[in-house]
């Protein structure tokens, strides 16, 4: 099963490699990883997407927690959460397909961020499923290059 | 506040931590610190190879329970220490290793003797630091000692750029250390303790399975109290030996791959397994689904990652072993449900059953006339030292025979590389232990192969008057690997025959030590007596039966009840 972990860690040199080293050393997989500073510049937040059965994810969570630089680990898949990923796609846009590409981008509420005589570069944001859907639809038209950020996620605020 | 140099600050920190002995080897990157050491009262032990320094610090730590300290130079000095750091990591031994580093401006430049030792040791230290700001030197050292010794202990490395050590800095007063991100759980959850204790009362066939955690947390008294209160047999991992007296009638000795028949049977038939400070290592469990198949499992460990890692646990208790055992003991003392006599009687048939197994298949070996049996050597060592020596071991058959046939009655008497299985550990570790306890008898039970991996430390032992005794069980083989080849590879002895071995008696002389040799069984006892009576470093070379095996043996991946017996 897919799990999205939110990891708060000290913003120190080497902290990130402790986390990635733990995954490679123990044979856990990382599907995606995003990390940046939080409001407190001494602390970073990492969103990490991994796959595994419950006992593996429990072990991953405990091992992460054991790292001295890690402050807090939350498996946000356990509750309600919002997730977003951004992708930049450079897609072929020649005379006969330009209009169609624009139509597709519009449906997905994407934006064209760069234009050349033969391509559009578009930006799409959404949950991973949406990003995948756009890629699948644009692929037959001809994707030249694609860059994904990986998922970031946040638990939903309590309703009361 | 007046300023001092980084070197002075480091020495002051060592004083603060109560460190009087450190083990090391100098080089350009740490030359300032070595200069400072000349003027300090800290005893520096100059080893002959950096691996020896870290193993000696580790042996010192295991024997005393205090933090061991090693000091290495940058580059090759640091990398030479890595095997020994990993050894300490696998066995959760508290040491602090200082390494020199090139000056900050050169870091990342492939400078002379530069290596990213923090990167290299990240997966084999509890934590490590590169001190990049002189202002952080003192607080980093204090934190390192705290981390090494607290919670689940382990090695911590501090990489010291040369210019940081040479800088001037103030020396702030020491305050209690509080880390936001590190707060080991010492106290057990009372609800879990009650649950565990109730399970103990229900059980008919309980077994205590104890590991190195009992020794690390100095919980042997509490453990013995619990075992006797509940009349429950105790089996120990290699790291747990001495955590419960080996001569106590409830002791089953070691379990696992080379464990006793009774241990492995008891675990297999138990209805309650009380694991304390042990981590269900594959050498202990054998085939996982056949390990304690009928048992409810209680697991006490300070490290949550150890719990339910390999085996699903029914009642997890995250706590320091000593605290948890104390809590269990008082629960029974205070509980109306517990009656010592009733419990004793209830478990007695099970204790009898376990003892029957022990009588049916005790740890034993076949006599062969005049030929020296390695097990016999250990038995004589045990008898002549009254089971009270500090025994270090190398790795292989020698290690297993020592574990099986020496009866450890006290903790911190067996110093052995359990998790990593590092050949070459025993001699430097013995030196560390001997320097901590100059009055104690310290014996390295060695193999002819392993001893050659750090034999150079004989010079260190001589230089510092560490009069340890090395007992080489000489089979002229890399015996443990040979045993596997004999059993599972059709006796194809690929690269396990030591075609050239030094004359260890002559070698001892070359180092100014005493060399003794026994070739027949009759010679064993006189040689050991002489070695123990000799006020010097001694090497005993025992020509043992060459193709002796270690039994019982559970072949890797088999159920622990599928033991090959003598
Ligand atoms: C550094 C290292 N290299 C290799 C091994 C693999 N190994 C385990 S036991 C053993 C044989 C040890 O031979 P010896 O010291 O003579 O001990 P014996 O088994 O003969 O008692 C070897 C090679 C190891 N444990 N450590
Ligand atoms: Mg040998």
């Amino acid at each position: 099963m897919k799990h999205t972990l939110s990891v708060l860690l000290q913003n120190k040199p080497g902290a990130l490699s402790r986390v990635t080293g733990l995954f490679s050393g123990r044979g856990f997989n990382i599907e995606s990883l995003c990390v940046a500073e939080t409001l407190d510049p001494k602390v970073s937040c990492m969103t990490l997407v991994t796959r595994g059965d419950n006992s593996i994810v429990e072990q991953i969570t405990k091992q992460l927690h054991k790292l001295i630089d890690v402050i807090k680990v939350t498996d946000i898949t356990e509750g309600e959460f919002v997730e977003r990923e951004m992708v930049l796609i450079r897609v072929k846009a020649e005379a006969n397909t330009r209009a169609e590409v624009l139509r597709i981008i519009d449906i997905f509420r994407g934006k064209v961020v760069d234009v050349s005589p033969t391509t559009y570069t578009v930006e799409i944001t959404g949950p991973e499923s949406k990003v995948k859907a756009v890629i699948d639809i644009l692929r037959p038209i001809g994707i030249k290059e694609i860059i994904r950020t990986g998922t970031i996620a946040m638990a939903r605020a309590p309703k009361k | 506040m007046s300023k001092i140099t980084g070197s002075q600050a480091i020495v002051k920190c060592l004083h603060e931590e109560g460190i009087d002995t450190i083990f090391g080897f100098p080089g350009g990157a740490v030359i300032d610190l070595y200069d400072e050491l000349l003027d300090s009262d800290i005893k520096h032990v100059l080893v002959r190879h950096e691996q020896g320094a870290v193993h000696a610090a580790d042996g010192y730590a295991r024997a005393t329970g205090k933090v061991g300290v090693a000091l290495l130079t940058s580059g090759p000095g640091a990398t030479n220490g890595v095997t020994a750091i990993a050894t300490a990591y696998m066995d959760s031994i508290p040491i602090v290793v200082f390494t020199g580093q090139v000056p900050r401006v050169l870091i990342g430049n492939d400078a002379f003797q530069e290596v990213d030792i923090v990167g290299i040791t990240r997966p084999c230290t509890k934590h490590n630091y590169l001190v990049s700001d002189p202002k952080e030197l003192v607080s980093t050292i204090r934190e390192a000692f705290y981390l090494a010794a607290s919670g689940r202990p382990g090695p911590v490395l501090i990489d010291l750029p040369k210019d940081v050590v040479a800088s001037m800095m103030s020396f702030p007063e020491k305050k209690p250390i509080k880390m936001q991100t590190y707060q080991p759980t010492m106290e057990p959850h009372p609800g879990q303790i009650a649950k565990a204790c109730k399970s103990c009362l229900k059980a008919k066939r309980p077994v205590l399975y104890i590991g190195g955690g009992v020794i690390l947390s100095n919980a042997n008294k509490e453990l013995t109290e619990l075992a006797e209160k509940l009349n429950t047999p105790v089996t120990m991992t290699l790291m747990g030996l001495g955590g419960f007296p080996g001569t106590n009638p409830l002791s089953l000795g070691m379990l696992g791959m080379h464990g006793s028949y009774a241990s492995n049977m008891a675990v297999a038939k138990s209805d309650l397994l009380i694991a304390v400070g042990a981590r269900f290592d594959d050498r202990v469990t054998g085939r996982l689904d056949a390990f304690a198949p009928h048992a409810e499992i209680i697991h006490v460990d300070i490290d949550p990652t150890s719990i339910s890692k390999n085996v699903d646990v029914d009642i997890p208790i995250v706590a320091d072993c000593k605290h948890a055992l104390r809590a269990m003991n008082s629960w029974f003392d205070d509980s109306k449900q517990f009656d010592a006599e009733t419990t004793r009687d209830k478990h007695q048939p099970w204790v009898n059953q376990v003892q029957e197994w022990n009588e049916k298949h005790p740890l034993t070996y076949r006599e062969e006339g005049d030929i020296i049996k390695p097990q016999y050597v250990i038995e004589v060592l045990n008898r002549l030292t009254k089971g009270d020596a500090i025994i270090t071991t190398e790795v292989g058959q020698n290690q297993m025979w020592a574990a099986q046939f020496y009866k450890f009655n006290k903790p911190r008497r067996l110093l052995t590389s359990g998790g990593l299985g590092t050949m070459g550990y025993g001699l430097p570790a013995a030196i560390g232990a001997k320097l901590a306890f100059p009055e104690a008898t310290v014996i390295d039970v060695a193999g002819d192969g392993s001893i050659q991996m750090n034999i150079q430390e004989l010079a260190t032992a001589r230089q510092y008057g560490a009069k340890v005794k090395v007992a080489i069980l000489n089979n002229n083989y890399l015996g443990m690997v040979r045993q596997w080849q004999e059993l599972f590879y059709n006796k194809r002895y690929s690269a396990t025959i030591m075609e050239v071995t030094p004359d260890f008696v002559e070698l001892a002389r070359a180092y100014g030590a005493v060399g003794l040799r026994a070739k027949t069984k009759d010679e064993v006892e006189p040689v050991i007596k002489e070695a123990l009576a000799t006020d010097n470093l001694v090497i005993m070379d025992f020509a043992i039966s060459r193709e002796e095996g270690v039994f019982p043996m559970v072949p890797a991946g088999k159920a622990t009840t599928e033991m090959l017996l003598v």
Side-chain angles (χ1 to χ4, degrees):
Chain A
M1 207 189 111
K2 196 174 104 175
H3 287 257
T4 305
L5 305 180
S6 180
V7 183
L8 287 180
L9 72 168
Q10 310 259 25
N11 191 358
K12 283 187 183 165
L16 178 61
S17 65
R18 288 184 206 280
V19 172
T20 53
L22 188 146
F23 273 73
S24 60
R26 293 188 180 268
F28 303 141
N29 76 59
I30 300 183
E31 237 159 63
S32 72
L33 182 112
C34 273
V35 57
E37 203 174 281
T38 61
L39 271 183
D40 176 354
K42 292 205 284 297
V43 176
S44 315
C45 181
M46 173 187 288
T47 306
L48 201 154
V49 179
T50 184
R51 237 168 238 285
D53 62 28
N54 285 344
S55 70
I56 290 179
V57 174
E58 182 185 328
Q59 186 58 215
I60 292 175
T61 310
K62 286 175 172 176
Q63 291 286 356
L64 281 170
H65 205 84
K66 187 170 162 182
L67 294 175
I68 308 292
D69 286 338
V70 168
I71 300 164
K72 193 169 172 215
V73 185
T74 327
D75 182 352
I76 52 182
T77 335
E78 279 175 357
E80 297 271 304
F81 64 101
V82 282
E83 60 163 341
R84 286 294 176 272
E85 177 172 4
M86 192 175 93
V87 61
L88 294 174
I89 306 172
R90 179 159 301 149
V91 58
K92 253 198 233 161
E94 279 150 1
N96 54 341
T97 54
R98 282 182 105 83
E100 193 187 347
V101 169
L102 285 181
R103 212 162 37 240
I104 293 170
I105 300 312
D106 198 41
I107 293 170
F108 285 96
R109 292 175 218 265
K111 267 192 291 194
V112 177
V113 291
D114 188 28
V115 180
S116 82
T118 53
T119 63
Y120 282 145
T121 301
V122 303
E123 171 199 316
I124 310 275
T125 304
E128 197 200 344
S129 53
K130 173 173 162 187
V131 168
K132 281 209 171 114
V134 181
I135 294 170
D136 286 346
I137 290 182
L138 291 180
R139 186 171 280 141
I141 299 171
I143 295 177
K144 305 193 85 143
E145 197 182 342
I146 174 169
I147 311 278
R148 297 171 63 169
T149 59
T151 299
I152 55 169
M154 196 184 253
R156 282 190 189 275
K159 289 285 179 289
K160 275 197 286 185
Chain B
M1 207 202 284
S2 64
K3 300 236 165 181
I4 57 176
T5 65
S7 303
Q8 289 168 329
I10 293 168
V11 169
K12 277 183 83 138
C13 284
L14 293 176
H15 281 142
E16 253 178 19
E17 303 294 337
I19 303 299
D20 51 19
T21 307
I22 69 173
F23 303 86
F25 202 87
V30 284
I31 199 163
D32 293 85
L33 185 48
Y34 269 90
D35 189 64
E36 186 62 35
L37 282 174
L38 258 196
D39 294 334
S40 90
D41 55 2
I42 287 172
K43 175 172 180 175
H44 176 268
V45 177
L46 175 64
V47 296
R48 297 302 186 265
H49 184 294
E50 288 86 352
Q51 185 185 355
V54 180
H55 283 325
D58 166 316
Y60 183 94
R62 290 189 207 226
T64 59
K66 297 196 287 190
V67 179
V69 178
L71 169 57
L72 319 175
T73 193
S74 68
T79 51
N80 267 351
V82 172
T83 298
I85 293 171
T87 303
Y89 181 69
M90 289 295 276
D91 291 342
S92 308
I93 304 305
I95 57 171
V96 170
V97 178
F98 292 94
T99 49
Q101 182 55 281
V102 301
R104 283 172 292 174
V105 287
L106 291 181
I107 290 179
N109 271 317
D110 303 319
F112 178 63
Q113 294 196 327
E114 180 191 358
V115 73
D116 175 14
I117 196 64
V118 167
I120 289 172
T121 59
R122 212 168 266 139
C124 63
T125 49
K126 180 168 172 181
H127 196 57
N128 59 16
Y129 303 88
L130 169 70
V131 183
S132 51
D133 181 349
K135 283 205 282 301
E136 285 170 6
L137 177 65
V138 172
S139 60
T140 301
I141 296 174
R142 287 171 176 165
E143 197 172 286
F145 274 91
Y146 171 67
L147 282 178
S150 60
R152 179 179 183 170
V156 179
L157 179 138
I158 308 175
D159 203 18
L160 302 165
K162 187 168 175 168
D163 60 318
V164 169
V165 174
S167 318
M168 300 303 289
M169 57 192 69
S170 52
F171 192 81
E173 208 171 306
K174 189 171 181 181
K175 293 196 203 89
I177 294 178
K178 228 181 156 265
M179 295 171 69
Q180 187 201 358
T181 64
Y182 172 78
Q183 280 146 0
T185 310
M186 297 296 283
E187 292 304 327
H189 188 283
Q192 294 297 90
I193 291 289
K195 245 194 193 166
C197 291
K198 285 179 193 156
S199 282
C200 293
L201 292 181
K202 271 199 309 233
K204 294 203 181 78
R205 300 184 307 279
V207 173
L208 274 155
Y209 147 50
I210 70 163
V214 169
I215 290 173
L216 291 166
S217 71
N218 299 309
N220 50 300
K221 285 216 179 67
E222 289 77 3
L223 189 274
T224 306
E225 184 186 331
L226 183 69
E228 289 182 336
K229 207 190 280 293
L230 297 179
N231 193 23
T232 292
V234 182
T235 178
M236 288 159 268
T237 68
L238 178 63
M239 301 314 297
L241 290 172
F244 183 74
T247 53
N248 187 303
L250 288 171
S251 167
L252 306 178
M254 188 166 71
L255 82 165
M257 183 174 274
H258 292 298
S260 66
Y261 180 82
S263 286
N264 287 336
M265 292 304 286
V267 170
K269 302 293 176 202
S270 65
D271 66 352
L272 177 69
L273 189 69
I274 311 163
V276 188
R279 60 186 176 85
F280 297 83
D281 177 82
D282 54 278
R283 284 293 187 264
V284 160
T285 61
R287 210 181 77 219
L288 271 175
D289 58 347
F291 182 72
H294 315 294
E296 182 177 28
I297 300 181
I298 299 170
H299 188 185
V300 180
D301 206 292
I302 197 160
D303 181 355
T305 67
S306 288
I307 294 179
S308 294
K309 182 173 68 178
N310 304 333
V311 170
D312 277 337
V313 169
D314 301 294
I315 306 178
I317 299 176
V318 177
D320 179 83
C321 294
K322 192 184 183 84
H323 292 239
L325 290 168
R326 208 185 266 154
M328 286 179 77
N329 284 326
S330 11
W331 190 93
F332 288 117
D333 292 345
D334 298 345
S335 166
K336 290 196 192 66
Q337 297 167 51
F338 174 71
D339 175 65
E341 218 162 303
T342 318
T343 308
R344 190 175 324 126
D345 293 349
K346 185 170 166 202
H347 294 162
Q348 196 54 43
W350 168 239
V351 171
N352 293 343
Q353 161 72 76
V354 170
Q355 271 157 3
E356 229 167 80
W357 281 324
N358 218 0
E359 278 152 30
K360 193 164 134 212
H361 295 294
L363 283 174
T364 187
Y365 57 94
R366 282 205 196 92
E367 304 274 1
E368 264 180 87
D370 244 9
I371 297 173
I372 301 177
K373 290 293 181 143
Q375 302 91 336
Y376 173 73
V377 177
I378 307 292
E379 281 177 346
V380 177
L381 279 174
N382 182 52
R383 175 156 48 81
L384 295 180
T385 58
K386 304 192 178 63
D388 203 26
I390 296 176
I391 303 290
T392 70
T393 78
E394 301 296 338
V395 169
Q397 295 182 311
N398 57 86
Q399 177 183 37
M400 291 299 115
W401 287 319
Q404 290 179 332
F405 288 89
Y406 201 93
K407 299 299 160 205
F408 296 93
N409 279 322
K410 293 184 192 159
R412 305 192 180 281
R413 289 295 199 274
L414 171 63
L415 321 182
T416 190
S417 168
L420 199 66
T422 307
M423 291 171 68
Y425 171 78
L427 177 57
I431 295 170
K434 183 71 180 172
L435 292 174
F437 295 110
E439 302 306 319
T441 302
V442 181
I443 302 170
D444 174 25
V445 174
D448 48 301
S450 304
I451 193 64
Q452 295 184 66
M453 286 213 171
N454 275 317
I455 191 92
Q456 75 287 345
E457 299 309 327
L458 287 173
T460 310
R462 280 276 296 148
Q463 182 167 340
Y464 297 93
K467 295 168 184 172
V468 305
K469 321 290 174 189
V470 180
I472 302 178
L473 304 177
N474 192 340
N475 49 16
N476 241 265
Y477 277 123
L478 297 173
M480 185 57 93
V481 183
R482 186 210 59 77
Q483 178 173 345
W484 284 48
Q485 291 169 334
E486 176 187 336
L487 295 172
F488 314 118
Y489 291 85
N490 238 337
K491 293 203 176 188
R492 286 158 53 83
Y493 293 163
S494 176
T496 45
I497 306 172
M498 303 290 259
E499 279 167 31
V500 174
T501 300
D503 179 328
F504 289 111
V505 172
E506 289 300 321
L507 187 95
R509 287 202 191 104
Y511 278 102
V514 173
L516 304 171
R517 175 170 290 129
K519 288 183 162 165
T520 60
K521 189 179 171 189
D522 314 339
E523 291 168 358
V524 169
E525 187 158 337
V527 159
I528 295 177
K529 278 190 172 145
E530 188 179 342
L532 293 175
T534 302
D535 184 29
N536 198 346
L537 178 63
V538 181
I539 293 187
M540 296 167 265
D541 184 19
F542 297 100
I544 61 164
S545 56
R546 287 197 66 207
E547 304 215 347
E548 189 70 19
V550 180
F551 295 104
M553 176 174 191
V554 178
K558 293 268 176 160
T560 48
T561 45
E562 298 174 66
M563 287 169 269
L564 309 174
L565 299 170
V566 173

